[in-house]
Amino acid sequence: MLFAESFADDQTPASDRLVLPYEVRRKSRQRVTLASGEELGYVLPSGTVLRQGDRLLTGNGLVVEVEAAPEALLEVRTSDRLQLVCAAYHLGNRHVAVQFGDGFLRFQPDHVLAEMLVGLGCTVSEVEAPFDPEGGAYGAHAHVDSHSRRHGYRPLSGADVSEPHHPGHGAHRSPARIHEFK
């Protein structure tokens, strides 16, 4: 079994893929199966979520790229942008994980929320798509650009936001490490 030891930089080509749905990417300690069939183990600081495009570095130098697996979702659309913002507000007010796209919102199936959004005048439909919701504003990283804002990067447990970028930990990652199972 391979063990992920850190986040890889964006320059090294990936040698394997890790395709997981959102709920599994939220687990901080687990064993998973890579696209190649190889097993991988990792331990992340509590609260860390693996995001679409994250890259893990194993002890033997392999780079594994994280992909959001397609899953059943609800998609909200409306031709009125203000109405879509209102829908996002109501979902956020209920602490629902939401993915924002060009003209749509996606969230995990919940018929009560779907009925509420239809009542607000939105169209809600079932889709199968990768789910990579916003990371949230709390604990946002001090160095904020469009990439880090889009993916909700923040310092991981114990990281100091004043630390400079460390090569080998991705473009906007804290220097936190991924440790093997004990």
Side-chain angles (χ1 to χ4, degrees):
M1 175 184 335
L2 299 170
F3 292 99
E5 295 185 346
S6 65
F7 288 101
D9 63 40
D10 294 340
Q11 308 308 313
T12 309
S15 47
D16 211 336
R17 298 176 305 126
L18 177 58
V19 183
L20 300 173
Y22 177 66
E23 288 303 318
V24 177
R25 288 183 285 121
R26 292 179 60 191
K27 294 180 180 179
S28 60
R29 177 184 178 116
Q30 62 183 325
R31 291 181 181 175
V32 292
T33 303
L34 301 174
S36 67
E38 183 88 38
E39 281 195 323
L40 174 79
Y42 62 81
V43 177
L44 300 167
S46 180
T48 303
V49 176
L50 290 175
R51 305 299 306 241
Q52 171 79 26
D54 278 349
R55 299 157 66 77
L56 305 175
L57 181 63
T58 67
N60 63 355
L62 294 176
V63 174
V64 177
E65 184 160 359
V66 177
E67 290 183 24
E71 54 188 291
L73 302 169
L74 293 180
E75 185 172 273
V76 181
R77 289 189 178 265
T78 177
S79 59
D80 182 345
R81 287 218 182 271
L82 184 57
Q83 199 172 36
L84 194 61
V85 169
C86 185
Y89 168 79
H90 285 289
L91 291 171
N93 197 40
R94 287 160 180 80
H95 304 280
V96 174
V98 178
Q99 179 177 349
F100 297 92
D102 189 18
F104 70 86
L105 305 172
R106 289 184 182 149
F107 63 99
Q108 293 174 317
D110 182 312
H111 69 58
V112 173
L113 294 175
E115 290 173 16
M116 174 195 69
L117 294 166
V118 168
L120 291 171
C122 298
T123 301
V124 179
S125 57
E126 296 177 359
V127 297
E128 179 140 335
F131 186 50
D132 196 28
E134 290 298 311
Y138 296 108
H141 199 288
H143 172 68
V144 178
D145 64 7
S146 62
H147 179 76
S148 59
R149 239 189 333 273
R150 167 69 183 99
H151 293 289
Y153 289 130
R154 65 200 185 289
L156 301 177
S157 179
D160 178 359
V161 295
S162 65
E163 291 180 49
H165 169 67
H166 294 276
H169 294 284
H172 301 286
R173 285 287 185 190
S174 78
R177 310 272 304 168
I178 300 171
H179 303 284
E180 65 183 65
F181 286 107
K182 298 211 185 251

